[in-house]
Amino acid sequence: MMRTSDLIASAARALRSNPLRSALTALGVIIGVASVVAMVALGSGAQAQVERSIASLGSNLLIVVPGAQRSGGGVRAQAGAGGGWDALTLGDAEAIAAQVENVAVVAPSQRARTQVIAGGLNWNPQVEGVTPAYLEARDWRIAQGRMFDETEERQARRVIVLGATVANELFPNVDPVGQTARMAGGAYEVIGVLESKGQSGFGMDQDDIVLAPLTTVKRRVSGRRGRGDSVSQISVKAVNEGVLSAVQQDVETLLRQRHRTREGEDDFTVQNLSSITQTAAQTTQVFTYLLGGISAVSLLVGGIGIMNIMLVSVTERTREIGLRKALGARQSDILHQFGLEAVTLSVAGGIIGLTIGVAGAWLMTSLFNLPLVISPLNAGMAIAFSGAVGVVFGAYPAWRAARLDPIEALRRE
Amino acid sequence: MALLVDARGLVKLYRMGEETVHALDGVSFTIARGDYCAIVGPSGSGKSTMMNIIGGLDTPTEGKLVIDGADIGAMSDAELAQFRNRAIGFIFQSFNLLPRLTALENVELPMIYGGVEPKARRERAAALLQRVGLGERMGHRPTQLSGGQQQRVAIARALAGKPPLLLADEPTGALDTTTGAEIMALFDELNREGVTIIVVTHDHEVAAAARRTIEMRDGRIVSDRLNERSARHDAHV
Ligand SMILES: Nc1ncnc2c1ncn2[C@@H]1O[C@H](COP(=O)(O)OP(=O)(O)OP(=O)(O)O)[C@@H](O)[C@H]1O
Ligand SMILES: [Mg+2]
């Protein structure tokens, strides 16, 4: 019965006796594991990025926009053929708040694009006419100053809250709060600055925004187009994620009643952000699996390399195997020795590959500006998987060695 | 003296297509503990086949073989391996040392498969190398040793597990006359210390050094006689 320490020592000695060959054999596994680790990390990073940025639009959020949904996808025409761009009204928002259960906040808003000028600088942000509830609905926070209140909103006061990008562009050197900016021919007081949200999942800068009271925007900025009480969007925040689909259905039913439309002929669309998040996350996950799967092929090739070299090694060492058997090595001793050589090669390759893979992932994610996501589970799986490669591809050569007839083996030159 | 080897009607057949080779064709003999026995005969007469079977490397097609009280025919593969480790010391014509290991490590090898502690086996290996006159060469590799020195390492290795039986198949076949005689002197000494030795040889002087000579032909024993004392002395003076 062979001691485990002797088993390990003898496998290590065999590998050391031919260092270049061992290194080249392990290289196959190194490349395989490194590419699996790097690719999966890259994919997971992209996935995390997509989820994070979509979540930053607001949680438990439904967005109602005018226009029919295009068949088959989450993308819809804002002012499509199915309905007018002014199909949504303040009345709709009030009805949702009053009649739909499990709604936390309803925030109608009117979008406009106009030039904003301050201190000789000008900028062309997206201007949103909103009610104070918009902050809660969209998970915005105030970084500096304050939000306008309901009274100011109702009175159509000329006050604005700037997104971080706009604040930086218009007031690079001064505190924006208390300053004056001009837009659409009027002067507006800056009363607050929003906390930065960064890019959305769709590649838009969410901070390139100016919030103004809804009434102000309707009267002074967006002009007298359409009905006086139309809005371009209604944000509906549900009390929690679980009721989101139910709320979506209730909102759709209610608006169908109010607009006298039938399902399929709607002049509005209710977007569910969590389902968009899910779709996007699933897409990137498929992408991750695809990358991982392609790199797994190179790990397979590495395994075949191990098998090849182990078979050569068994042939070369036939006489040694015969002698060891004559001296009292059992079949299992020989099996373990050669098996351990293969597993050592592959696990060593796995560990080195993991290190290189993590370094590569770090390099690529910092290059593409993605979060670096490496879970200990994935790392452990990479090592376990490379060990399994060693077992699977080392098994046959080791079995061949163990089954050698000692007399035949000793007779071999 | 008690019996160490008891062979009854050993037959070994090799089938080569249509033809059947009778490598052993009904061989019966006994070897007592402490005996020193030479096996001679023309090439192809079945000497090596018999040694392999006695050493548990091969199994007979027919017949019964009891060595050191154990029935070889009834053993599993793992039991045979253990038997070889514990009861047999092999010495080969071509030494069969592992080239990557030092002399000391080569001698340690059987003890590794016997599960002997590293410290104990290093000490025993060193003592055995001392015993065969290679105390100064323990760290040398086989390629750095002469043929005679390599065969001494092989003898030390064969003795490592304290086996009751040494099997040597043409141990001097690859050595010159003088070196061969030195090896035979070593065998003689070991035998006097109580080790049972079976040696296959083509060399009359080597055969004469043994106590007893078994002559084989076509897979059968054709003569089995004790050597004269005087002849034994001539061989290694
Ligand atoms: N694996 C084998 N397959 C077929 N025939 C074999 C095999 N091994 C041995 N033989 C045959 O068995 C017979 C005895 O062989 P063995 O090796 O025992 O002879 P030997 O007496 O040792 O000869 P030598 O003195 O040349 O070593 C020979 O005819 C040989 O051809
Ligand atoms: Mg022979």
Side-chain angles (χ1 to χ4, degrees):
Chain A
M1 186 61 201
M2 208 173 169
R3 301 159 60 90
T4 312
S5 56
D6 289 328
L7 191 64
I8 293 166
S10 106
R13 178 187 281 276
L15 294 178
R16 268 205 318 264
S17 75
N18 217 329
L20 182 62
R21 182 198 280 185
S22 301
L24 288 174
T25 310
L27 191 61
V29 178
I30 292 173
I31 292 172
V33 170
S35 59
V36 170
V37 167
M39 289 301 138
V40 169
L42 191 67
S44 312
Q47 190 177 336
Q49 169 81 341
V50 166
E51 282 173 12
R52 205 180 287 177
S53 55
I54 293 178
S56 73
L57 289 172
S59 53
N60 309 334
L61 185 62
L62 299 174
I63 296 178
V64 188
V65 293
Q69 175 151 24
R70 261 187 217 152
S71 58
V75 189
R76 20 85 283 154
Q78 182 140 359
W85 54 269
D86 56 352
L88 286 179
T89 63
L90 281 171
D92 289 333
E94 279 155 20
I96 292 168
Q99 294 175 39
V100 178
E101 280 178 36
N102 293 323
V103 168
V105 184
V106 177
S109 55
Q110 177 65 48
R111 178 170 299 184
R113 232 177 220 285
T114 181
Q115 196 153 11
V116 182
I117 305 161
L121 296 168
N122 64 65
W123 193 246
N124 207 5
Q126 181 174 305
V127 176
E128 290 279 357
V130 301
T131 57
Y134 189 77
L135 287 194
E136 190 190 339
R138 291 305 192 93
D139 293 334
W140 277 111
R141 259 179 283 282
I142 295 286
Q144 265 176 280
R146 61 179 185 87
M147 181 64 176
F148 44 83
D149 59 24
E150 295 197 3
T151 319
E152 287 168 313
E153 197 274 321
R154 228 177 300 119
Q155 295 173 348
R157 299 281 281 271
R158 299 191 187 199
V159 289
I160 51 175
V161 174
L162 304 182
T165 303
V166 182
N168 281 336
E169 293 293 342
L170 293 182
F171 304 100
N173 302 316
V174 289
D175 180 1
V177 178
Q179 303 287 329
T180 303
R182 299 186 63 79
M183 62 179 188
Y188 289 77
E189 185 193 353
V190 178
I191 59 167
V193 176
L194 295 169
E195 254 182 21
S196 173
K197 273 192 180 191
Q199 293 226 323
S200 80
F202 312 108
M204 286 178 332
D205 180 5
Q206 298 185 77
D207 298 324
D208 191 12
I209 193 173
V210 171
L211 299 185
L214 178 56
T215 24
T216 313
V217 170
K218 294 234 36 119
R219 277 187 211 163
R220 304 180 198 277
V221 183
S222 65
R224 300 227 167 266
R225 291 187 297 161
R227 284 149 58 183
D229 63 346
S230 73
V231 291
S232 61
Q233 202 175 71
I234 303 174
S235 303
V236 180
K237 193 185 186 74
V239 290
N240 61 50
E241 172 106 44
V243 299
L244 203 54
S245 323
V247 171
Q248 178 175 7
Q249 279 190 352
D250 291 350
V251 168
E252 282 168 353
T253 312
L254 177 67
L255 292 183
R256 262 173 221 135
Q257 279 170 13
R258 292 177 54 84
H259 295 193
R260 300 175 205 290
T261 58
R262 276 178 299 169
E263 194 166 351
E265 301 172 355
D266 294 335
D267 56 358
F268 64 90
T269 303
V270 181
Q271 293 174 293
N272 181 336
L273 274 192
S274 79
S275 69
I276 294 175
T277 311
Q278 265 170 25
T279 310
Q282 272 164 13
T283 311
T284 44
Q285 192 159 36
V286 168
F287 173 68
T288 306
Y289 288 152
L290 197 69
L291 285 176
I294 290 168
S295 2
V297 173
S298 64
L299 189 55
L300 189 76
V301 174
I304 293 169
I306 287 187
M307 179 142 140
N308 184 23
I309 286 301
M310 290 309 295
L311 283 173
V312 170
S313 172
V314 169
T315 309
E316 280 180 358
R317 285 150 73 189
T318 298
R319 212 177 156 82
E320 170 187 334
I321 294 162
L323 175 77
R324 286 179 184 272
K325 285 192 152 189
L327 297 182
R330 297 171 309 169
Q331 287 195 4
S332 60
D333 290 327
I334 302 292
L335 187 76
H336 290 160
Q337 182 185 336
F338 280 84
L340 189 67
E341 281 178 33
V343 171
T344 306
L345 275 179
S346 63
V347 171
I351 291 169
I352 298 170
L354 178 66
T355 317
I356 295 175
V358 169
W362 177 80
L363 202 74
M364 284 193 290
T365 49
S366 53
L367 213 65
F368 298 137
N369 217 350
L370 292 173
L372 180 59
V373 184
I374 290 166
S375 68
L377 182 74
N378 282 356
M381 261 170 54
I383 302 292
F385 200 62
S386 58
V389 163
V391 170
V392 168
F393 291 97
Y396 176 64
W399 179 82
R400 279 253 300 243
R403 292 295 302 269
L404 276 178
D405 175 8
I407 301 168
E408 287 285 325
L410 278 169
R411 210 177 277 153
R412 201 83 62 84
E413 272 319 311
Chain B
M1 271 192 280
L3 285 186
L4 183 62
V5 180
D6 187 357
R8 299 281 159 100
L10 294 183
V11 173
K12 181 71 186 180
L13 301 180
Y14 288 110
R15 256 175 264 282
M16 309 283 287
E18 297 286 281
E19 239 175 295
T20 306
V21 180
H22 290 249
L24 291 183
D25 196 7
V27 175
S28 299
F29 61 93
T30 59
I31 291 174
R33 246 171 240 284
D35 205 349
Y36 183 179
C37 178
I39 300 179
V40 297
S43 189
S45 56
K47 307 181 294 293
S48 295
T49 305
M50 192 153 91
M51 289 290 262
N52 289 337
I53 289 175
I54 295 172
L57 284 174
D58 205 351
T59 47
T61 315
E62 268 173 51
K64 188 174 163 83
L65 179 61
V66 177
I67 294 174
D68 205 12
D71 186 351
I72 302 299
M75 285 187 183
S76 71
D77 196 83
E79 285 169 333
L80 268 179
Q82 213 163 357
F83 162 79
R84 290 194 292 267
N85 186 257
R86 183 186 53 76
I88 307 292
F90 285 102
I91 295 156
F92 306 92
Q93 176 175 357
S94 51
F95 324 132
N96 274 332
L97 301 176
L98 291 190
R100 281 182 281 117
L101 306 190
T102 63
L104 190 78
E105 288 165 337
N106 266 292
V107 178
E108 276 187 66
L109 210 50
M111 294 188 274
I112 285 179
Y113 292 112
V116 180
E117 296 252 325
K119 191 169 178 303
R121 72 177 186 238
R122 220 162 298 137
E123 279 167 8
R124 176 154 175 78
L128 283 166
L129 283 173
Q130 208 89 44
R131 167 77 181 74
V132 298
L134 288 175
E136 311 293 307
R137 304 286 168 121
M138 294 194 214
H140 286 50
R141 283 173 208 284
T143 45
Q144 300 164 321
L145 297 171
S146 73
Q149 286 168 334
Q150 288 189 54
Q151 195 60 301
R152 283 163 194 271
V153 175
I155 292 169
R157 180 181 65 191
L159 294 171
K162 298 181 188 156
L165 182 57
L166 277 193
L167 299 179
D169 196 342
E170 300 190 35
T172 60
L175 303 175
D176 62 52
T177 323
T178 329
T179 325
E182 279 168 22
I183 296 296
M184 295 325 293
L186 192 54
F187 275 21
D188 205 39
E189 253 179 76
L190 290 170
N191 178 244
R192 257 181 276 150
E193 287 167 18
V195 183
T196 311
I197 299 174
I198 304 177
V199 56
V200 166
T201 185
H202 282 124
D203 185 332
H204 288 297
E205 299 210 348
V206 170
R211 222 188 276 259
R212 169 186 173 193
T213 304
I214 294 176
E215 193 183 342
M216 294 189 68
R217 194 160 303 215
D218 298 331
R220 288 178 202 198
I221 294 178
V222 291
S223 85
D224 184 349
R225 58 189 159 70
L226 289 177
N227 294 339
E228 288 161 37
R229 269 183 74 82
S230 56
R232 286 190 72 206
H233 275 280
D234 290 346
H236 55 85
V237 165

